Amino acid sequence: AKSHMRSPLLGLNGVAAMKACYRRFDPAAYLQYNYTPPRADFTRKDSIVPWKLACLHRAFTEGDMSGELLVDIGSGPTLYQVMSGCEVFSKVLLTDFLEVNRQELRRWLQDEGQCSLDWTPYLQHVCKLEGRRPSAWTEKAAKLRQVVADILPIDVHCSQPLAPDALPLAGADCLVSCFCLESVSPDLAAFTRALGHIGKLLRPGGHLMLIGALGESYYFAGPGVRIPVVPLNEAQVCTSLKESGYTLIRLEVYTLTQDMRVGVDDVTGVFFVKAKKD
Ligand SMILES: C[S@@+](CC[C@H](N)C(=O)[O-])C[C@H]1O[C@@H](n2cnc3c(N)ncnc32)[C@H](O)[C@@H]1O
């Protein structure tokens, strides 16, 4: 009885503690740690970022996508996760908890001022995946700037993560979310609840593309900014999806090679999930 009484309170404190950790999130450092070589080496097939881009490209071009609205949950300061989807959906919403990250995204979208990362090699790589010449990247950049309609605040720990009028009543046609839920949740229960919360933003039959860390207990989001992560395994990801009202279509796993373990986290693998809301 005692543990039953205590757990909800601990859960709340855990969520508050996670939010406090994010006050020191440094977008430029985070981009440097995770989105430059060796993790983003486009000359290698076994680098993390090309693997993620290939998964997203395949998932968005399989022919089972429909509708207009794609919502990215917990975008952070990154854009790679919508570079395939922006060709399939006519409207894309980016979201993040932190103003510093929304600001970073705005700087790229408005194409003025200093961006912390050059997304050109990413755009070129996705053009190649799409069978276009790499020089088509300028057109893809224009397309992305055209379809991103807004950058909104979000909190996946709220049962209503976005402002009430942010989405059409029917919900989004597709969600993408990368490395967000496990790195903002204090435990597996909170991760599963967050998966349920974002599911409310999705129309029945809509797709979820979920990318995340396996076996990770922390990552650095700046010098000395150590953020705890819920260490997940494949079975837990599958169970959480089922409990939250999704049917799994595909799960793919990438295992980090030794040289991808660069000391900015203790991640051992990455999962890619394509699922459908029941
Ligand atoms: C590890 S980063 C992932 C960023 C990006 N999606 C990527 O693939 O690299 C986690 C993101 O979750 C955001 N975040 C923190 N607390 C959140 C919350 N309660 N709800 C939604 N997002 C949150 C952070 O600001 C950060 O951008």
Side-chain angles (χ1 to χ4, degrees):
K2 198 176 174 193
S3 67
H4 178 79
M5 296 288 289
R6 280 165 64 100
S7 60
L9 188 62
L10 284 174
L12 277 179
N13 288 340
V15 162
M18 287 304 303
K19 288 181 183 175
C21 288
Y22 275 92
R23 279 187 224 136
R24 293 173 64 216
F25 188 95
D26 176 343
Y30 177 76
L31 288 167
Q32 177 66 35
Y33 297 163
N34 294 288
Y35 295 100
T36 62
R39 291 190 166 187
D41 183 343
F42 296 101
T43 66
R44 292 173 53 174
K45 270 235 165 80
D46 63 347
S47 173
I48 303 181
V49 168
W51 182 86
K52 289 194 273 182
L53 292 175
C55 287
L56 288 163
H57 168 71
R58 176 182 172 194
F60 278 108
T61 53
E62 280 174 316
D64 56 350
M65 295 288 126
S66 65
E68 287 149 31
L69 178 59
L70 169 65
V71 180
D72 178 30
I73 307 294
S75 306
T78 72
L79 289 154
Y80 72 91
Q81 65 276 19
V82 290
M83 287 181 183
S84 288
C86 75
E87 305 288 346
V88 179
F89 292 92
S90 55
K91 187 175 168 180
V92 173
L93 294 175
L94 302 177
T95 68
D96 201 74
F97 183 69
L98 294 178
E99 170 58 19
V100 281
N101 285 332
R102 299 193 298 269
Q103 188 64 49
E104 179 70 39
L105 295 171
R106 252 180 250 126
R107 274 201 294 272
W108 187 85
L109 285 173
Q110 290 163 3
D111 202 6
E112 52 195 35
Q114 291 294 85
C115 289
S116 301
L117 191 77
D118 179 10
W119 292 103
T120 307
Y122 287 74
L123 294 161
Q124 289 171 331
H125 187 81
V126 179
C127 282
K128 275 199 226 164
L129 293 175
E130 290 169 356
R132 301 154 74 179
R133 53 206 161 76
S135 58
W137 76 269
T138 53
E139 291 147 40
K140 181 176 276 297
K143 176 80 170 201
L144 188 52
R145 289 187 170 109
Q146 175 218 319
V147 301
V148 173
D150 217 338
I151 305 168
L152 304 171
I154 190 164
D155 183 353
V156 298
H157 299 306
C158 294
S159 65
Q160 192 177 260
L162 290 173
D165 55 352
L167 299 188
L169 263 177
D173 299 296
C174 186
L175 298 183
V176 58
S177 186
C178 306
F179 303 96
C180 178
L181 305 186
E182 71 280 15
S183 55
V184 308
S185 300
D187 51 36
L188 182 61
F191 170 86
T192 306
R193 275 196 302 274
L195 208 44
H197 295 157
I198 66 167
K200 294 187 200 165
L201 305 173
L202 185 60
R203 68 160 165 85
H207 287 92
L208 168 71
M209 319 282 195
L210 189 68
I211 297 184
L214 293 170
E216 186 178 48
S217 69
Y218 73 90
Y219 77 99
F220 282 102
V225 185
R226 196 179 193 270
I227 298 187
V229 179
V230 185
L232 296 172
N233 61 42
E234 290 167 62
Q236 288 168 328
V237 173
C238 293
T239 305
S240 290
L241 284 164
K242 210 171 174 182
E243 278 177 24
S244 314
Y246 300 92
T247 298
L248 185 65
I249 296 173
R250 182 166 62 251
L251 174 85
E252 294 178 67
V253 170
Y254 168 95
T255 303
L256 269 81
T257 55
Q258 203 53 49
D259 62 319
M260 295 294 152
R261 305 184 185 197
V262 290
V264 298
D265 53 43
D266 64 348
V267 65
T268 61
V270 177
F271 67 87
F272 174 86
V273 157
K274 182 173 182 176
K276 215 172 175 165
K277 181 175 167 177
D278 301 333

